[in-house]
Amino acid sequence: MSELKVTELMKVQLTKEAPAAHWGKADVTYTADGAQIHLAGGDELRQIQMAARKLRSQGISCVVLAGQLWDLNSQWVFAQGFATAKPGYQVHWCGDEAVQAELQRRLDVATFARQLINDTPENLSPVKLAQQAAKWLAEIGGNKVSYRIIEGEALLEELWIGIHAVGRGSERPPAMLELDFNPLAADAPVSVALVGKGITFDSGGYSIKASEGMLGMKCDMGGAATVTAALGLAIKSGLNKRVKLFLCCAENLISGRAYKLGDILTYKNGVTVEVVNTDAEGRLVLADGLQAASATGAPFIIDAATLTGAAVMAVGSNYNAIFSPQTDVLQLAQQKATSVAERVWPLPLDPWHKEMCPSAYADTANSRAMKGGGAGGASNAAGFLWRFVSPEAKWLHVDLAGAFEDSASAMWGAGATTHGVLTISELIKG
C-alpha cells in the first residue's frame, strides 16, 4: 500500500482509558509512541471518525492503526474521516488477513467513487461518466459484464424522454448506461436492478441556482457513482446473482435548446409530466431509469440520487434518507446500514404522495411551484418516482443527503464521502 517505512508513520491506537489530567477533555492525545484516541462510551464509531478528521486536519498524512481494539468497522470509519479530496494520505490496516482484504476492497471502490464525484464537471461529461462506470465494472467482472450506452437523439428513439429533455440544453449529449452483470446462465432472472442519477453538472436550468448553490453541483452524479461502486464491491466480494445497472446521465444547462418551464413530457409508460421547475431534473431522468429497471422483471429495485435539499434539511448530512412502500425493505436497509457503520433514516412515503405535485395540464408536475418544492419535498419527490416503478417489485429509494460535503466538517473532509456505497452493496448481496 505504501513504500514508506513503518517508522515514518504515526501509530494510532484506541484506548478506553481517560486522558491524563493535563490533556483536559481531549479525545486525542499524543505520546512518544504516536496518537491515542480515547473512547468515552456512546457512539464510539462517530468518535473515531471525528478523531481521524482532527488528525488529518493537523497535517498528519500517514498513519498505521495498531492495538487490539480495532475491528473492521472502526478501521473503516477512521479511514472515512481521514480521507480528503486531495491525494497523498495513507492508512495502514491492522487485524487478520480477512479483515485487511475487506478493508482494501472497500478502499478500492470508495476511491473510485470519490474520484468520480470529485472530478470537474468540465472533465466528466455524461457520456464519459457512463463510459468510465462501464469500463471499471468490466475490469472487475470480466466477461460476466456486458453493456451498451444510448446517447443523444438515440434516447428519443427508445423513448427515454426524461434523460433527453434534461440533457438537450448541453452541447455534450445525455446518455443512459445499460449494464448487465450475469455470472449465471444467459437466461437467468435478474435479481436486483440498480438506478443512479448521473447529472454531471446541475445549473438548475432556467430555474437557475445561485452561485453558492451551484458550486458543488459536480456532485449531482453521486447516485450514479454510488450504485456503480456498490455493484463493484459486491462483485469483488464474489456476487453470484444477476444484476442490471442503469445510469441516467445528463448535464442540466441553459441554452436555446434547453427544456423550459411549462413543457410537458410524455413518458414511455404514458405518464405526462408538466415541468414547473427545471431544477427538479433528477426525478425526470430517474423516471426513465426506473422504467428500464422495472422492465427487467427484477423483484428488487434500488435507486440512489442526490435528489433533494429537503432530505438534507430532514436528516442532516450524516444520514441518507430512505423511502419505500414496503416496511420490510426499510427495515432491511436499516439493518444492512448498521452492519457496515453507515446511517440511514426512513422518511414518509404514502400513496397520496404521488398526488402532491398536481398539474392542471398533465398527470403530474415534476415539483410544486414554490421554494424547495414546498413542505414534504423529499417525500413528494419519492411519490413522483413511485409512478414509474413496477407494482410487482420491492423498491428502495435512497436520497443521498450524506454523499457530499461542500466544506470540511467534524466528520468528513470536503467533497465526496461515499456514504451509502456499503449499504447498497450489502443489499445487493442479500
Side-chain angles (χ1 to χ4, degrees):
M1 189 172 175
S2 168
E3 296 181 356
L4 292 175
K5 297 178 181 178
V6 172
T7 54
E8 296 175 304
L9 307 175
M10 172 173 279
K11 184 186 294 185
V12 179
Q13 300 184 75
L14 300 179
T15 179
K16 297 199 174 188
E17 296 180 359
H22 64 272
W23 286 103
K25 295 182 178 181
D27 55 358
V28 180
T29 63
Y30 300 91
T31 68
D33 198 33
Q36 290 187 318
I37 299 173
H38 297 268
L39 303 177
D43 191 342
E44 293 184 348
L45 293 177
R46 180 179 174 86
Q47 294 168 30
I48 291 168
Q49 186 165 339
M50 293 175 70
R53 184 94 291 279
K54 288 181 181 179
L55 290 169
R56 187 75 181 95
S57 65
Q58 291 168 1
I60 297 166
S61 59
C62 301
V63 299
V64 57
L65 306 182
Q68 299 301 312
L69 296 183
W70 291 104
D71 62 13
L72 174 65
N73 283 337
S74 61
Q75 291 188 76
W76 180 247
V77 298
F78 181 94
Q80 288 289 73
F82 204 68
T84 56
K86 294 180 181 179
Y89 60 91
Q90 301 165 352
V91 178
H92 291 246
W93 317 116
C94 63
D96 60 32
E97 290 185 4
V99 167
Q100 294 196 41
E102 172 61 17
L103 287 165
Q104 191 59 48
R105 284 191 290 269
R106 291 184 181 188
L107 180 64
D108 289 344
V109 302
T111 298
F112 167 78
R114 187 170 275 116
Q115 291 174 344
L116 205 60
I117 296 169
N118 289 338
D119 203 353
T120 67
E122 177 60 25
N123 188 52
L124 193 68
S125 69
V127 171
K128 189 172 181 181
L129 170 59
Q131 290 172 337
Q132 288 194 7
K135 179 182 177 183
W136 184 73
L137 288 171
E139 289 172 352
I140 297 170
N143 61 9
K144 298 172 185 176
V145 171
S146 59
Y147 66 90
R148 69 182 185 125
I149 297 172
I150 310 161
E151 62 179 274
E153 298 306 303
L155 290 163
L156 286 181
E157 295 172 11
E158 301 196 28
L159 300 182
W160 300 130
I161 301 300
I163 299 172
H164 181 272
V166 172
R168 76 187 191 207
S170 172
E171 294 180 356
R172 303 193 290 186
M176 176 190 276
L177 169 64
E178 295 183 353
L179 184 140
D180 186 3
F181 171 72
N182 186 8
L184 307 172
D187 59 350
V190 178
S191 295
V192 183
L194 304 171
V195 181
K197 174 186 172 184
I199 302 297
T200 56
F201 186 72
D202 181 18
S203 70
Y206 280 108
S207 304
I208 192 168
K209 295 177 182 288
S211 292
E212 61 270 22
M214 200 188 301
L215 181 59
M217 282 299 103
K218 62 184 179 182
C219 82
D220 216 16
M221 38 61 66
T226 296
V227 292
T228 301
L231 178 55
L233 180 56
I235 295 171
K236 282 176 174 282
S237 302
L239 182 68
N240 194 39
K241 60 176 67 173
R242 188 175 186 182
V243 177
K244 287 204 171 184
L245 171 76
F246 301 91
L247 301 188
C248 309
C249 309
E251 284 183 315
N252 186 21
L253 300 182
I254 297 172
S255 74
R257 295 190 69 244
Y259 77 131
K260 299 170 286 294
L261 284 80
D263 283 351
I264 294 179
L265 309 180
T266 302
Y267 278 87
K268 197 169 190 174
N269 64 354
V271 173
T272 57
V273 178
E274 181 189 5
V275 178
V276 301
N277 185 346
T278 59
D279 196 22
E281 84 299 328
R283 64 201 73 181
L284 296 177
V285 302
L286 287 174
D288 285 337
L290 288 169
Q291 288 177 94
S294 296
T296 69
F300 191 15
I301 297 171
I302 305 170
D303 78 79
T306 49
L307 199 65
T308 66
V312 180
M313 295 300 293
V315 302
S317 61
N318 291 321
Y319 283 82
N320 288 320
I322 55 174
F323 304 80
S324 179
Q326 298 96 13
T327 302
D328 60 328
V329 171
L330 296 173
Q331 292 172 341
L332 179 63
Q334 289 178 294
Q335 292 166 6
K336 295 296 188 182
T338 300
S339 73
V340 291
E342 292 187 337
R343 293 174 172 85
V344 298
W345 197 259
L347 292 181
L349 179 60
D350 290 292
W352 50 263
H353 279 112
K354 294 180 182 180
E355 312 303 328
M356 291 302 290
C357 297
S359 168
Y361 305 98
D363 295 327
T364 185
N366 72 324
S367 185
R368 298 169 72 183
M370 57 185 69
K371 183 175 177 60
S379 294
N380 297 341
F384 176 93
L385 294 178
W386 195 357
R387 290 174 175 268
F388 301 92
V389 179
S390 167
E392 284 77 40
K394 292 194 172 184
W395 169 52
L396 179 71
H397 164 52
V398 185
D399 198 327
L400 293 167
F404 189 85
E405 292 282 350
D406 287 322
S407 56
S409 69
M411 291 188 67
W412 304 97
T417 67
T418 73
H419 189 197
V421 170
L422 301 188
T423 299
I424 295 175
S425 185
E426 289 299 304
L427 288 167
I428 294 169
K429 290 186 286 185

